[in-house]
Amino acid sequence: MSTPSRTEVETALLVLGKIAAVDQWAAKPDGAMAVAWAECFAVYGLGRKDLLDAVTRMYADDKRDKANRTIPADVIAWARKLRDRRAEAEKASGAVDKEALTARRRAIEDCRMCDPSGWIETAAGLTRCGHGRQLTA
């Protein structure tokens, strides 16, 4: 697992701060906690908008088990649900919310060489565009 970027840690701090503002029993956010949560969020490539919206939706859910502490997986589940719903709506309407896309997805959307799935057609056949290498370097 790689070290999360500064932006990912800042996003995790915002998420933790929002949780602490809503939940009086939540742990006080700190740097180490933000790094750990950012690592969890990075597994799914979740963006800031989806994660912050997930906190709101999660705490607004009247069926939520209030006895348990909030863990990264709770926020991740809601963020993934919101991201999937948005992707379905975008697919149906053809509109794209560039701000909510992951860095990899934005790179693919902005690339003039590859198709919307990140593939380039060459004489040898289909090959993956180099976005992954560019974004992790």
Side-chain angles (χ1 to χ4, degrees):
M1 174 110 359
S2 63
T3 304
S5 71
R6 177 184 209 112
T7 303
E8 291 170 329
V9 173
E10 288 171 356
T11 297
L13 272 171
L14 288 171
V15 168
L16 288 164
K18 191 169 185 178
I19 290 169
V22 174
D23 187 346
Q24 66 187 25
W25 294 282
K28 183 178 178 184
D30 63 28
M33 186 186 302
V35 169
W37 281 55
E39 288 174 346
C40 294
F41 296 156
V43 170
Y44 296 96
L46 296 163
R48 181 175 288 187
K49 181 178 180 354
D50 289 330
L51 291 165
L52 291 171
D53 289 350
V55 173
T56 301
R57 295 296 298 268
M58 181 178 66
Y59 279 98
D61 183 4
D62 62 348
K63 294 175 181 65
R64 180 176 183 274
D65 183 3
K66 294 151 190 76
N68 292 332
R69 290 191 94 151
T70 301
I71 61 172
D74 299 328
V75 179
I76 289 168
W78 270 101
R80 290 179 71 194
K81 205 180 302 185
L82 294 172
R83 181 178 64 184
D84 292 346
R85 287 179 189 164
R86 187 187 62 258
E88 287 175 20
E90 288 171 354
K91 189 175 182 180
S93 71
V96 176
D97 180 2
K98 289 266 191 179
E99 210 175 291
L101 296 175
T102 63
R104 180 181 310 273
R105 192 74 226 149
R106 277 194 305 271
I108 291 171
E109 292 284 329
D110 294 338
C111 183
R112 294 182 183 166
M113 297 180 352
C114 66
D115 69 12
S117 299
W119 292 93
I120 299 174
E121 191 169 347
T122 64
L126 286 177
T127 185
R128 271 277 185 213
C129 195
H131 297 108
R133 288 186 300 281
Q134 294 167 3
L135 294 171
T136 57

